Amino acid sequence: PPMPPVQPQEIAHGSTTTGTDGSFQITFPTHPDPEIAPNNEPVFHFTVHADVTDLTGETRSAELGIQVGYTALQASMGANTWQEKDKPVTVTASTRSLDSQPLAAAGTIIIHRLQQPDRVHRGGLQRTRDGQPDLSSPNNWQLAEAVADKPFQTDASGNTTVEFKLAPGHYRAVLATADRFGKPVSALL
């Protein structure tokens, strides 16, 4: 599910002296937001801003973005929304580190048929109540039976494609893999 937007906040500040080679080290806490469940595989973004003043009083500034999460891998999938009836469906899978560097990974892609609602729902005309999903969109339909599954292996570029022969209908692809520490990583399409 999409993560709610969070307002930026300063979590640490201070000063230090660089080493003879101009480098410096800093530490800061990277506590996760307790309102976001770990099983949603959130990624928390931190930005380090540094202002360095040399002996002549000249100041240079730089910043560095750092991503931290519960897993060391992110996975995503893609496919064309509309498919032709007699052609295989090509699913692309991508695996990356939290800082968007390609990582090879292996796992499984499972294709589930979607459970259609028992009646037609009209988007925008029927309000959802009590937090119920808008069933006018197949994106909100529940998973039904698995109709196909295949293993995948992304290459050094972190990419691969897997083809499935499917009958006409609405489907959801579920990717399952693990990071280098064995923590589960998933993606939905």
Side-chain angles (χ1 to χ4, degrees), residues 78-80 83 87-93 160-165 189:
N80 290 334
Q83 301 287 332
K87 293 188 177 178
V89 175
T90 300
V91 175
T92 60
T160 193
T161 59
V162 180
E163 289 188 346
F164 293 92
K165 182 70 175 153
L189 172 65

Side-chain angles (χ1 to χ4, degrees), residues 11 20 34 44 46 69 71 76-77 92 104 110 112 114 123 132 136 154 156 165-166 171 188:
I11 58 171
T20 56
F44 303 99
F46 298 89
T71 63
S76 61
M77 289 185 292
T92 60
I110 302 170
H112 289 267
L114 293 179
Q132 295 298 316
S136 67
T154 57
K165 182 70 175 153
L166 300 171
Y171 298 93
L188 297 175

